Amino acid sequence: MSTIKDIEAQIINDSRGMPTIEVKIRTQSGASGIASVPSGTSTGKKEATLVDPKVGCENINKIIAPKLIGMDIQKQAEIDQTMVELDGTEEKSQLGANAILGVSLATARTAANFLKIPLYQYLNQYFCQISGVELKPAVPTPMMVMICGGKHGGNKLCIQEFLIISQVKNGIKIWHQIEKILHNRKIQFKIGLEGAFSPDIVYDEEALEIIVQGLSEAGFQNGHEVFLGLDIAGNHCHISNEEILKLHKKYNIFSIEDPFGEYDWEKFGQLKLELEEGSKDFLLLGDDLFATHKKLLQKGINNLVANGIIIKVNQVGTLTETLEVIALAKKADYTHVVSHRSGETNDTFIADLAVATAAKFIKSGAPIPKERLLKYQRLEEIQREFK
Ligand code: PGA
Ligand code: ZN
């Protein structure tokens, strides 16, 4: 056993140049661990509340740390519960979900370091304990955004993310191919928040055509080694059911995230029924719909609205609650996709989390910016350990 000796929070900058929280924990035994907190740009109303990172750091240093010092670093459930109770609000608005999450993630990393085992292994053990089911860690397939619009793009495209689902090396090839196509077609572009192209085009279909051309010119076939996905981010982009089905059929789109707004439960359910008429092999993901909350996922399961869930640690604010949501998803046969946020740091925690819970997929942006690539590289490192 090793008890917490001190907890220190400080401000660092995220990939958008915005302040966020980094937490370092040290134990009596000399083990330590650091974790940092991501944040979103296209956030939903159901997400836990974040406080100003400066306030969050003060809350950690002055309120959370004194409560947790002396606790056993391996008692993740108790540590998370203590913070939830200390906060006392449903949405973690008192201390801030970003403050609580920083400590929660740093706790797990410190415990893994203390035990001298990889983080994914530590998380896997805790996940098995929470879910009551034995599960072998497994490396997920990346969902990589190639073209962006909406809140991430700052261009005229409505759909937020046009993704390809494949191995990282394929994603890099396709990304470069798309760059060539944009140059050849003389389309101006910027680079969006997650490293994807934000082209100066108007129609979502044109973005899909560019991606399909890019993957075929890179030597792939849509639906074989490479699959397509969309994050419509339906809180901000309004497309009809018919239009979505049309895109799904025409471009053989495997995965559709947040096709509608975060309160449009019926529309999700209707789309699911219609997708099922076509084939059983699709992924309909709720992101802002579920906000990584157990009650919301249970509502979705009861009402047959989706078959997958996006998992973002900062939507709920503790590791324990995140793992509880994943356990529920698995029980209901929902595919869970562990996801980054548009505001990221160099922390690779989500790569270990995805492996620990044997997520089929992980979303970590285009495989180009450092803070995104680091997560994919961590997956490759784990993959090598498995061999
Ligand atoms: P966000 O977007 O991190 O900016 O909220 C990601 C998403 O909607 O999946
Ligand atoms: Zn999303």
Side-chain angles (χ1 to χ4, degrees):
M1 180 178 120
S2 183
T3 54
I4 297 176
K5 190 171 147 213
D6 59 65
I7 301 178
E8 238 178 83
Q10 61 162 347
I11 299 281
I12 59 166
N13 284 321
D14 72 15
S15 55
R16 302 167 303 177
M18 309 262 273
T20 188
I21 300 172
E22 181 185 82
V23 179
K24 180 166 187 177
I25 300 185
R26 288 191 199 84
T27 64
Q28 288 295 351
S29 65
S32 65
I34 297 177
S36 52
V37 180
S39 44
T41 305
S42 123
T43 49
K45 291 195 179 65
K46 304 168 183 173
E47 297 192 24
T49 307
L50 310 180
V51 294
D52 175 335
K54 247 172 110 193
V55 174
C57 283
E58 273 194 19
N59 290 347
I60 294 171
N61 295 334
K62 296 199 180 136
I63 304 171
I64 297 176
K67 271 272 174 194
L68 300 187
I69 286 169
M71 286 179 81
D72 180 351
I73 194 69
Q74 286 173 261
K75 292 271 160 57
Q76 182 79 42
E78 280 175 32
I79 289 171
D80 284 348
Q81 186 57 27
T82 303
M83 289 192 286
V84 166
E85 282 169 16
L86 198 56
D87 173 84
T89 68
E90 184 84 5
E91 58 297 329
K92 300 186 175 69
S93 55
Q94 189 63 33
L95 297 172
N98 43 348
I100 293 173
L101 181 68
V103 176
S104 183
L105 301 184
T107 296
R109 184 168 270 132
T110 307
N113 289 346
F114 166 67
L115 295 169
K116 297 193 170 60
I117 59 173
L119 180 59
Y120 68 82
Q121 195 182 326
Y122 182 76
L123 295 176
N124 175 260
Q125 288 167 5
Y126 186 39
F127 180 68
C128 292
Q129 186 194 320
I130 283 181
S131 65
V133 181
E134 276 310 303
L135 178 78
K136 261 179 68 180
V139 177
T141 301
M143 290 180 149
M144 294 165 279
V145 63
M146 295 285 123
I147 291 182
C148 63
K151 288 225 162 201
H152 286 186
N155 54 2
K156 295 201 176 67
L157 292 174
C158 177
I159 293 178
Q160 180 176 287
E161 297 170 31
F162 300 82
L163 305 118
I164 61 132
I165 303 158
S166 193
Q167 296 309 311
V168 171
K169 61 178 195 309
N170 302 342
I172 291 174
K173 272 191 202 160
I174 295 166
W175 191 90
H176 286 299
Q177 202 57 48
I178 292 172
E179 189 178 24
K180 272 191 203 152
I181 295 169
L182 293 173
H183 279 302
N184 290 343
R185 293 197 192 184
K186 297 195 172 35
I187 297 172
Q188 305 272 346
F189 63 84
K190 296 190 291 274
I191 298 291
L193 293 175
E194 300 175 351
F197 298 104
S198 159
D200 191 12
I201 55 177
V202 176
Y203 299 107
D204 292 322
E205 279 214 42
E206 190 177 353
L208 278 164
E209 268 160 26
I210 291 170
I211 291 190
V212 169
Q213 186 186 339
L215 70 90
S216 101
E217 286 177 3
F220 303 104
Q221 219 184 321
N222 177 12
H224 286 87
E225 234 178 308
V226 180
F227 296 81
L228 296 187
L230 295 177
D231 180 3
I232 295 174
N235 278 343
H236 312 287
C237 168
H238 307 291
I239 305 189
S240 70
N241 195 62
E242 292 68 37
E243 187 66 18
I244 294 168
L245 284 167
K246 199 183 114 199
L247 293 178
H248 169 72
K249 276 207 193 92
K250 186 165 172 196
Y251 295 96
N252 189 22
I253 290 165
F254 167 70
S255 164
I256 301 172
E257 174 180 340
D258 277 357
F260 308 110
E262 62 197 316
Y263 298 105
D264 291 335
W265 298 92
E266 292 82 18
K267 285 191 186 173
F268 269 79
Q270 184 59 33
L271 179 64
K272 181 166 182 277
L273 281 178
E274 289 170 40
L275 287 168
E276 275 163 353
E277 281 171 21
S279 109
K280 287 267 171 257
D281 200 19
F282 67 87
L283 200 49
L284 180 55
L285 292 163
D287 171 12
D288 292 335
L289 183 75
F290 299 134
T292 316
H293 276 56
K294 216 162 120 186
K295 272 191 207 154
L296 295 171
L297 175 59
Q298 189 60 60
K299 178 173 173 180
I301 294 166
N302 296 346
N303 293 294
L304 308 172
V305 299
N307 63 6
I309 176 172
I310 292 283
I311 299 290
K312 292 171 170 170
V313 281
N314 81 329
Q315 282 180 330
V316 64
T318 64
L319 174 63
T320 303
E321 289 163 288
T322 304
L323 294 179
E324 284 170 359
V325 173
I326 299 174
L328 177 60
K330 285 215 181 261
K331 221 171 104 196
D333 217 10
Y334 261 50
T335 297
H336 74 286
V337 177
V338 173
S339 171
H340 67 155
R341 300 304 308 246
S342 51
E344 266 298 332
T345 70
N346 289 344
D347 195 334
T348 57
F349 196 103
I350 59 163
D352 285 73
L353 177 65
V355 172
T357 57
K360 277 201 191 116
F361 304 105
I362 185 169
K363 260 182 88 179
S364 184
I368 306 290
K370 185 179 175 205
E371 74 282 355
R372 319 282 153 187
L373 186 61
L374 282 171
K375 276 94 166 157
Y376 295 131
Q377 286 173 334
R378 173 70 186 137
L379 292 176
E380 288 169 345
E381 184 179 60
I382 297 172
Q383 183 81 67
R384 284 193 291 275
E385 274 179 39
F386 284 177
K387 276 186 184 151

